[in-house]
Amino acid sequence: MRRMAILTGAVLLAGALLTAPAQAEPYKILVFSKTAGFRHDSIPAGVQAIRDLGAGNGFTVNHTEDGAAFTASNLAQYKAVVFLNTTGDVLNATQQTAFESYIKGGGGFAGVHSAADTEYDWPFYGGLVGAYFRSHPATQQAQVKVEDRAHASTGHLPATWTRTDEWYNYRTNPRPDLHVLATLDEGSYSGGDMGDHPTSWCQPYQGGRSWYTGGGHTIASYGEPAFRTHLLGGIHYAAGVSKADCRPENDYTRLLDTTTGWKQAGPGGFAYADGTLSSSGGMGLYWYQAREFSSYSLKLDWKLTGDDNSGVFIGFPAGDDPWSAVNNGYEVQIDATDAPDKTTGAIYGFKEPDIAARDTALNPPGEWNTFELLVQGERLQVFLNGVKINDFTNTDPARSLAQGHIGLQNHGDADHVSFRNVRIKAAGSGPRQGQITGVGGKCVDVNGANPADGTKIQLWTCNGTAAQAWTLPGDGTIRALGKCMDVKGGATANGTPVQVWTCNGADAQKWTAQANGSLRNPQSNRCLDASGGSSADGTQLIIWDCHSGFNQKWTLP
């Protein structure tokens, strides 16, 4: 919401040039279709479809069935590698190592159909593709239920997508470990036996990105406009061109399957169709009057048509005056070309976002974005497409984030915004996941991403890898790479190093967050500390007498 004088055209233009996301430059992808088992007759059609998509969307396609292409130097030229109906054991150990390094270095993977019928004895690949093939019934028509209608690969689809393909049953359900985009309605066809049956998903994976679709068995698939766009969106995500929140997402309650519980305050309004709200007029607020919320994770998808203005209001009392939300709550702004404290991701008028992180995460007008607003007491963290871009704590006694309503702004006649899939869950219902940052803005890091017992925990420049992906499951432990943050040997002396170790329930692996930002180990009654107050890469983390200094302040997910 703008509460400032209209800027001159020159200043507005400068702001747009500084903050508008850049268009993707031309890039290259590698399509790999080697088979060591069943060979799909649709492979040539798939290769040609991807070539056609590249020609119209700014990327060049190289195609190979030679595993020798998997070297560090060759893979470095590609933003993504597509495994197109691969089967069996297609890479040797040296080639596998090169591909692992490529992904860990920020590369992208897109798997199509029988990419899930590939490399059963390679654990890294099993995690990357998400699930392995088990069986399939005859090719037939089925209904696909689209869960994420913001991702580039599914945002164009209706809530129910009816198409014909060969529908895989998988050995495991991947939902707990990644982000499901679409599922199969097993009542719409014969032979599905998973119950909850994901068929397309995405995930950040060990520093890179992974996307998979179960479609693509038939030649006809690659002539379907909707499937081609589905495939294009998956490639765009894998290549890092389109951003998305692909963290696991479970146990949310949907608030926008219907407009029940919602009410317009003030002028203008929203039209509702196909699960989507589209704004008109203003200045108004569409607010959820059915209940107030406290300590929650609110997720929602939004899209602008151009240089438009909107926002999400939280923490305000019930009432039909939209200015009550302005004066008593907080707005998370949507408008990428406004002033820093009034731009997308800002707590409007109170705290600007991390602009560099925001610009990296932001999709441009015409594309969907996803917000997570994580409210824990008076603390509000803002995530854009899975990237944390703001962290704000309310200190105004006249306002409170701890309890209140939520609302979506329709700003005015010239501003057009759409919202989809508003969903919410209690903040405590599920583990917290993400980076832990400390002195110098550096991240808590497992040395070399090595999960072996005894590997040191250190400070390192934040890089988004699995070595810096921590989980707080709510039992007092802090975990990464399947291991726990541990005080070496269970010692209690000042200077004892902190390491990763197999989780065992010991008090040496328990940590308690303090109000001043420190993390206290209750066994030793000492705090997690960056040794010597250094912020240099590789600084060992230790325990030390709690003193509230800068090298004992940690920002948790």
Side-chain angles (χ1 to χ4, degrees):
M1 178 175 292
R2 293 190 174 103
R3 285 171 281 174
M4 56 187 293
I6 297 174
L7 301 176
T8 66
V11 175
L12 281 173
L13 178 59
L17 292 174
L18 287 171
T19 61
Q23 295 297 312
E25 295 182 357
Y27 60 96
K28 296 171 68 175
I29 69 166
L30 178 66
V31 176
F32 183 56
S33 58
K34 181 178 178 180
T35 57
F38 180 82
R39 185 167 183 85
H40 286 77
D41 63 2
S42 62
I43 288 174
V47 172
Q48 187 58 52
I50 296 172
R51 289 192 190 279
D52 293 344
L53 292 171
N57 292 279
F59 61 88
T60 300
V61 177
N62 289 348
H63 171 236
T64 187
E65 297 199 346
D66 186 356
F70 284 73
T71 66
S73 59
N74 188 54
L75 291 174
Q77 65 183 305
Y78 300 111
K79 280 198 171 184
V81 178
V82 180
F83 275 48
L84 176 66
N85 279 326
T86 51
T87 54
D89 187 0
V90 291
L91 298 178
N92 65 31
T94 300
Q95 295 159 358
Q96 290 175 358
T97 298
F99 189 54
E100 288 188 21
S101 296
Y102 167 77
I103 294 295
K104 291 175 180 177
F109 166 84
V112 180
H113 192 57
S114 63
D117 190 20
T118 302
E119 294 288 358
Y120 289 93
D121 297 321
W122 182 13
F124 175 89
Y125 182 83
L128 178 70
V129 74
Y132 284 124
F133 162 80
R134 177 169 53 81
S135 65
H136 66 79
T139 299
Q140 59 193 290
Q141 187 180 89
Q143 291 184 348
V144 178
K145 300 295 186 183
V146 180
E147 293 190 13
D148 185 333
R149 300 183 66 203
H151 193 278
S153 66
T154 48
H156 65 292
L157 296 172
T160 300
W161 182 27
T162 302
R163 60 180 305 270
T164 297
D165 217 315
E166 179 183 78
W167 305 109
Y168 278 4
N169 298 310
Y170 300 95
R171 295 185 180 187
T172 57
N173 187 330
R175 185 182 293 277
D177 300 318
L178 40 72
H179 182 78
V180 174
L181 299 171
T183 59
L184 287 168
D185 178 357
E186 291 188 344
S188 68
Y189 73 105
S190 299
D193 62 7
M194 293 179 62
D196 175 30
H197 196 146
T199 188
S200 182
W201 50 77
C202 61
Q203 60 173 325
Y205 189 75
Q206 297 197 23
R209 297 161 304 281
S210 170
W211 174 87
Y212 172 81
T213 181
H217 171 80
T218 66
I219 294 173
S221 295
Y222 299 98
E224 297 174 29
F227 184 80
R228 287 167 69 103
T229 303
H230 176 57
L231 182 57
L232 175 63
I235 293 170
H236 277 169
Y237 170 74
V241 174
S242 291
K243 316 301 181 181
D245 188 348
C246 283
R247 298 173 296 168
E249 184 174 312
N250 298 293
D251 302 322
Y252 280 78
T253 298
R254 297 170 68 93
L255 300 182
L256 199 57
D257 283 339
T258 70
T259 58
T260 301
W262 293 86
K263 186 178 183 182
Q264 179 68 26
F270 287 89
Y272 180 80
D274 191 29
T276 304
L277 290 172
S278 301
S279 71
S280 61
M283 171 132 2
L285 187 71
Y286 196 56
W287 64 289
Y288 193 70
Q289 64 171 344
R291 58 168 293 193
E292 293 185 319
F293 298 99
S294 59
S295 291
Y296 54 87
S297 168
L298 173 68
K299 286 192 173 186
L300 52 89
D301 306 327
W302 56 267
K303 180 174 69 173
L304 304 180
T305 60
D307 183 14
D308 302 298
N309 184 292
S310 184
V312 182
F313 281 84
I314 60 175
F316 59 91
D320 288 332
D321 181 359
W323 291 99
S324 176
V326 173
N327 296 325
N328 298 291
Y330 285 103
E331 179 187 7
V332 180
Q333 174 75 330
I334 300 173
D335 183 353
T337 62
D338 211 331
D341 67 336
K342 301 175 179 66
T343 190
T344 297
I347 315 305
Y348 188 97
F350 291 91
K351 186 176 181 181
E352 66 184 70
D354 179 333
I355 297 293
R358 192 284 308 276
D359 285 352
T360 299
L362 182 65
N363 288 323
E367 297 183 19
W368 289 96
N369 290 274
T370 299
F371 266 163
E372 180 189 10
L373 310 185
L374 179 60
V375 177
Q376 296 163 303
E378 296 294 345
R379 182 185 182 192
L380 165 62
Q381 297 173 77
V382 180
F383 296 80
L384 174 64
N385 295 323
V387 175
K388 185 174 176 179
I389 61 170
N390 211 333
D391 195 333
F392 170 77
T393 299
N394 171 53
T395 58
D396 183 349
R399 302 172 189 255
S400 179
L401 285 165
Q403 185 84 14
H405 289 273
I406 64 172
L408 311 173
Q409 185 189 56
N410 56 302
H411 188 269
D413 288 330
D415 297 297
H416 303 284
V417 61
S418 298
F419 292 99
R420 276 181 176 173
N421 197 18
V422 180
R423 64 265 197 207
I424 199 165
K425 74 172 180 179
S429 60
R432 295 157 59 188
Q433 297 175 316
Q435 296 175 333
I436 300 175
T437 55
V439 57
K442 296 292 181 72
C443 276
V444 177
D445 177 281
V446 181
N447 185 29
N450 183 357
D453 283 349
T455 301
K456 82 169 183 177
I457 297 178
Q458 60 187 6
L459 285 182
W460 200 267
T461 300
C462 297
N463 54 31
T465 65
Q468 299 175 357
W470 295 92
T471 298
L472 284 67
D475 60 358
T477 63
I478 300 176
R479 307 185 181 209
L481 302 173
K483 297 293 180 71
C484 278
M485 181 183 287
D486 176 278
V487 180
K488 186 175 182 179
T492 60
N494 275 335
T496 302
V498 176
Q499 61 185 9
V500 290
W501 198 268
T502 300
C503 299
N504 55 28
D507 288 341
Q509 298 181 351
K510 298 296 175 65
W511 303 89
T512 302
Q514 307 298 297
N516 64 2
S518 63
L519 279 169
R520 184 176 62 84
N521 171 240
Q523 174 175 275
S524 63
N525 202 31
R526 290 189 164 90
C527 283
L528 185 68
D529 181 288
S531 182
S534 174
S535 62
D537 282 350
T539 298
Q540 171 77 58
L541 300 192
I542 60 175
I543 56 169
W544 198 267
D545 290 334
C546 299
H547 54 62
S548 301
F550 62 89
N551 62 325
Q552 292 188 355
K553 297 290 182 66
W554 308 97
T555 300
L556 302 177

